[in-house]
Amino acid sequence: LIHNNVRKATELTLLTTGRAMIVTTIVLSAGFLVFTGASMSNILNFGVLTAIAIVTALLADFFLVPAIMAIMIHNRKDVV
């Protein structure tokens, strides 16, 4: 982090790689949701649960990671 500015680092990261993360999540989720057309319930469940897990991972990347990073930087003793 430059100057320990979590807000600026998060903003810059989401503006640059955030779009790619969103597109990847949409493509992967749509791909796994194709399995909802399967006649076997275990394949259908696999597709739905995997799509939910991928979307949940994106939400965690957007909300949890910046919050954890802010806490870790705030608690650091060796701040320059």
Side-chain angles (χ1 to χ4, degrees), residues 17 23 29 50 56 59-60 70 76-78:
T17 60
V23 170
S29 296
T50 304
T56 303
L59 294 175
R76 271 184 30 187
K77 302 279 189 229
D78 61 344

Side-chain angles (χ1 to χ4, degrees), residues 12-58:
L12 183 63
T13 301
L14 292 180
L15 287 176
T16 55
T17 60
R19 291 180 186 148
M21 292 167 59
I22 291 171
V23 170
T24 302
T25 299
I26 291 170
V27 169
L28 284 173
S29 296
F32 279 106
L33 286 174
V34 167
F35 289 139
T36 59
S39 59
M40 296 174 56
S41 65
N42 58 344
I43 300 294
L44 184 143
N45 291 336
F46 172 73
V48 170
L49 290 174
T50 304
I52 290 171
I54 291 170
V55 171
T56 303
L58 176 71

